[in-house]
Amino acid sequence: MTGLLDYQPGSSPLHKAHPLVKLLLAVAICVCGFLADSIYINIIILLLIVLCGARCGLARQIRATLKGMGALCAILFILQLPFIGSGRVWIDLPLGMTVTDQGVRFCAQLCLRLIGATLPLVMLFAVTRLSDLTNTLVAQLGIPYRYAFVLTTAVRFIPVLLGEMREVIEAQTARGVELDVGVLRKIRLIPPLCAPLLVSCVQRMENNALAAELRGFYLRKRGSGYRRYPLSGVDYAWIVSCVILLTISIIL
Amino acid sequence: MIRLENVSFELSNRPIINDVGFRLEPGAFAALVGGNGAGKSTLLKIIMGLYRPARGAVYIDGEATRGMRVSAIAKKAGFLFQNPDRQIFGATVRAELAFGLAELGISSEEARRRVEGTLERLGLDGSRAPMSLSRGERQRVALAGLFARRPKILLLDEPTTGLDYRECMQMMRCVAELNEEGATILMVTHDMEVALDFAPRMLILADGQLMAQGLTRDLMRDAELLERASLMPAQIVALSARLGIAPGEADDVDSLTDWIAARRAAKGGTAR
């Protein structure tokens, strides 16, 4: 079963695009979402992302991200809404708090921006192999390999750590630990869950660091990558699209 | 007693366990063997209630586990993971053992008594930090955690993996002692020597299906069956089979030596 940030093989135009172009596109869409003043632009951007993702066969990743972000956004929406007093008052709440039209609009736009910033990054990792991304960052952007390695390793470790966490939970549950209990008891259960996870993380990091060093990690140079990533005509078209998208967002 | 009836389990629409059924009587000691990816650990987790079967039923001590909380199953069954570091977190061995008992709601007086008894019996130093111990010792600490809880059923997931011979024997002697005291044991293992030496019964799993079950010494002789399950018999069994000795007649070094000596004596040679 592939995780949310795992590469999903495919032959869509996004899959075929240059890794740097995909990174640029993801960043451009995120920036557009934050630049746009109108909530309708945010909705259009989100719809475009979803359609594009569905076209690339990433419906599962999009669904999972929307589900996770939906819960977070709902909490943010509820927490923020009563504190925005400007605009036409719809509902009066106790302690001088109100629900206003501008408050609803602001909170909704914030949620759309958050989702609009997260989805392109999830899609970026789903259509790009991490090794391709690392190689491009090093070879074409001149980022030192150790920093690119740290970035990609951190991303790669997320599903690994989730798997480790699941195993630790299974091990503790099998000892009779009940996890669906009250908040206070949950706090007491932090050591049995976190200590084994911490130990396994440190062990894994040490092993990986040793393995990397033994394979000549520090001998790597900018041109050491096995694959080359030349930009094609389609990639230039993608870059022009990014520039147009950014310009439209700034104008609107 | 462990009973499985037509248990099936799927992960992401992929069948992992397919229509598995068997029964282990109280006090039985069985080895669950099979190649990598056969579904052994998954089956063990299904019995423990960590995974819920898509079809079929699991009975622990005569009670169906469907709908039971894992914490309720944990009062009857103990699970030893292949990697002890998944469950060890206590600052000392003593604290580690006491945690499991507290989770089961055992009184502190009784818990103290059980912890000290277990430490003495397994020869563990309660004041040591578990993470400063060797892999084999940590595995024994994890087993001691089960030992202190005195479950009727023990589910062991490759308990000897990564242990040297001495550690392996220490571990298996502890397990055998628990079995002698009446615990029912189901042990996943890749080590056919350990299976032959300690588990009188054997279950063979391949591609999520139970291929065979029966006496270990009999199943070890079925070369074709073992081949299909990506297994090799214990070396002593393979040697006995080649010598034409009946199953169970010479399944350890002593009895095989006696058999060879008797044959040599019968032929007029010198028995050593």
Side-chain angles (χ1 to χ4, degrees):
Chain A
M1 189 173 67
T2 54
L4 196 60
L5 296 177
D6 287 351
Y7 173 69
Q8 175 93 37
S11 57
S12 68
L14 260 187
H15 278 91
K16 289 175 186 164
H18 190 281
L20 203 59
V21 168
K22 286 186 261 190
L23 180 64
L24 186 68
L25 196 60
V27 173
I29 293 170
C30 293
V31 172
C32 284
F34 283 97
L35 283 177
D37 279 335
S38 165
I39 191 169
Y40 300 110
I41 298 288
N42 285 109
I43 293 170
I44 290 168
I45 289 173
L46 194 60
L47 284 174
L48 283 175
I49 297 169
V50 171
L51 284 174
C52 186
R55 166 75 181 79
C56 297
L58 306 175
R60 189 185 65 80
Q61 280 89 340
I62 289 174
R63 258 200 317 271
T65 310
L66 288 177
K67 198 176 160 191
M69 291 302 293
L72 178 71
C73 288
I75 294 168
L76 277 177
F77 191 95
I78 293 164
L79 284 179
Q80 200 150 345
L81 188 60
F83 297 99
I84 301 169
S86 57
R88 192 154 43 90
V89 177
W90 282 355
I91 304 167
D92 277 314
L93 298 171
L95 304 169
M97 290 186 284
T98 53
V99 174
T100 66
D101 59 343
Q102 280 190 24
V104 171
R105 183 181 286 261
F106 178 85
C107 293
Q109 195 166 15
L110 178 82
C111 294
L112 287 170
R113 279 173 172 165
L114 265 179
I115 297 170
T118 311
L119 268 178
L121 295 176
V122 170
M123 283 168 59
L124 167 71
F125 290 116
V127 296
T128 318
R129 282 194 184 86
L130 272 174
S131 55
D132 290 341
L133 199 58
T134 315
N135 290 339
T136 316
L137 289 174
V138 174
Q140 268 154 326
L141 289 187
I143 293 173
Y145 180 68
R146 67 177 70 178
Y147 299 125
F149 181 78
V150 167
L151 174 77
T152 51
T153 307
V155 174
R156 191 175 285 157
F157 258 51
I158 294 170
V160 174
L161 290 181
L162 285 174
E164 295 266 348
M165 189 68 200
R166 198 186 59 241
E167 286 181 24
V168 170
I169 288 173
E170 278 178 4
Q172 299 301 354
T173 312
R175 306 172 77 176
V177 174
E178 289 182 336
L179 297 169
D180 49 348
V181 289
V183 177
L184 283 176
R185 220 173 109 66
K186 264 203 173 109
I187 292 169
R188 208 176 68 80
L189 292 176
I190 289 173
L193 294 180
C194 291
L197 187 65
L198 194 67
V199 168
S200 74
C201 286
V202 172
Q203 280 173 345
R204 194 177 279 270
M205 278 190 280
E206 191 185 10
N207 289 341
N208 282 9
L210 281 173
E213 202 161 349
L214 286 170
R215 287 187 290 175
F217 182 81
Y218 289 105
L219 300 176
R220 193 181 170 110
K221 295 191 181 88
R222 190 174 165 177
S224 294
Y226 174 71
R227 288 186 66 185
R228 294 285 174 266
Y229 302 89
L231 284 161
S232 66
V234 179
D235 293 321
Y236 285 109
W238 277 114
I239 293 170
V240 172
S241 308
C242 288
V243 174
I244 294 170
L245 200 64
L246 279 169
T247 313
I248 291 171
S249 297
I250 293 166
I251 293 167
L252 292 175
Chain B
M1 191 259 281
I2 304 171
R3 185 155 59 94
L4 270 72
E5 284 179 358
N6 312 106
V7 167
S8 297
F9 176 74
E10 291 172 0
L11 205 59
S12 305
N13 295 324
R14 195 167 60 92
I16 306 291
I17 298 293
N18 198 1
D19 204 25
V20 168
F22 63 85
R23 180 190 175 101
L24 286 184
E25 296 302 329
F29 191 155
L32 180 59
V33 297
N36 283 338
K40 306 181 295 294
S41 297
T42 305
L43 190 60
L44 227 53
K45 287 177 181 176
I46 290 171
I47 296 170
M48 192 66 211
L50 293 168
Y51 298 161
R52 300 291 172 179
R55 286 176 297 281
V58 177
Y59 297 88
I60 292 259
D61 211 18
E63 199 177 343
T65 60
R66 187 175 289 277
M68 268 173 91
R69 295 170 72 89
V70 181
S71 54
I73 299 172
K75 286 183 179 168
K76 297 178 177 184
F79 194 111
L80 185 71
F81 280 76
Q82 185 183 346
N83 184 352
D85 298 342
R86 295 275 184 271
Q87 58 190 78
I88 290 176
F89 74 95
T92 62
V93 172
R94 189 173 278 110
E96 182 60 34
L97 265 58
F99 174 79
L101 298 176
E103 284 305 308
L104 293 180
I106 291 165
S107 70
S108 55
E109 186 66 25
E110 171 67 8
R112 199 174 302 120
R113 205 171 54 76
R114 285 202 201 178
V115 168
E116 294 308 322
T118 305
L119 289 172
E120 194 182 331
R121 193 162 168 187
L122 295 189
L124 291 165
D125 181 352
S127 61
R128 295 278 303 272
M131 286 305 159
S132 69
L133 302 173
S134 71
R135 165 73 195 257
E137 286 171 322
R138 291 205 300 280
Q139 188 69 297
R140 265 201 306 150
V141 170
L143 182 68
L146 293 185
F147 203 96
R149 286 166 46 193
R150 297 176 191 162
K152 289 181 180 174
I153 292 161
L154 273 179
L155 305 168
L156 312 174
D157 191 2
E158 299 188 38
T160 57
T161 300
L163 306 188
D164 64 24
Y165 177 75
R166 188 179 56 85
E167 290 173 333
C168 174
M169 284 300 117
Q170 278 179 337
M171 166 65 72
M172 288 314 301
R173 272 186 216 115
C174 292
V175 173
E177 273 182 38
L178 280 169
N179 179 237
E180 280 161 19
E181 288 169 12
T184 309
I185 293 173
L186 181 59
M187 174 181 70
V188 167
T189 185
H190 280 291
D191 192 333
M192 299 298 268
E193 315 290 336
V194 166
L196 178 71
D197 288 346
F198 292 93
R201 279 198 66 192
M202 191 158 81
L203 308 164
I204 300 178
L205 206 63
D207 296 327
Q209 288 183 312
L210 191 62
M211 281 179 75
Q213 56 176 316
L215 293 176
T216 306
R217 64 177 192 221
D218 292 341
L219 293 178
M220 285 261 190
R221 286 298 188 99
D222 194 335
E224 193 199 336
L225 173 74
L226 295 181
E227 175 82 26
R228 278 194 286 133
S230 310
L231 295 167
M232 287 276 284
Q235 289 192 343
I236 195 90
V237 174
L239 184 60
S240 292
R242 285 207 189 168
L243 290 171
I245 305 170
E249 204 175 303
D251 287 341
D252 58 70
V253 173
D254 288 338
S255 53
L256 184 60
T257 313
D258 290 346
W259 185 89
I260 292 168
R263 284 288 292 261
R264 291 182 70 179
K267 284 186 176 177
T270 311
R272 277 192 292 171

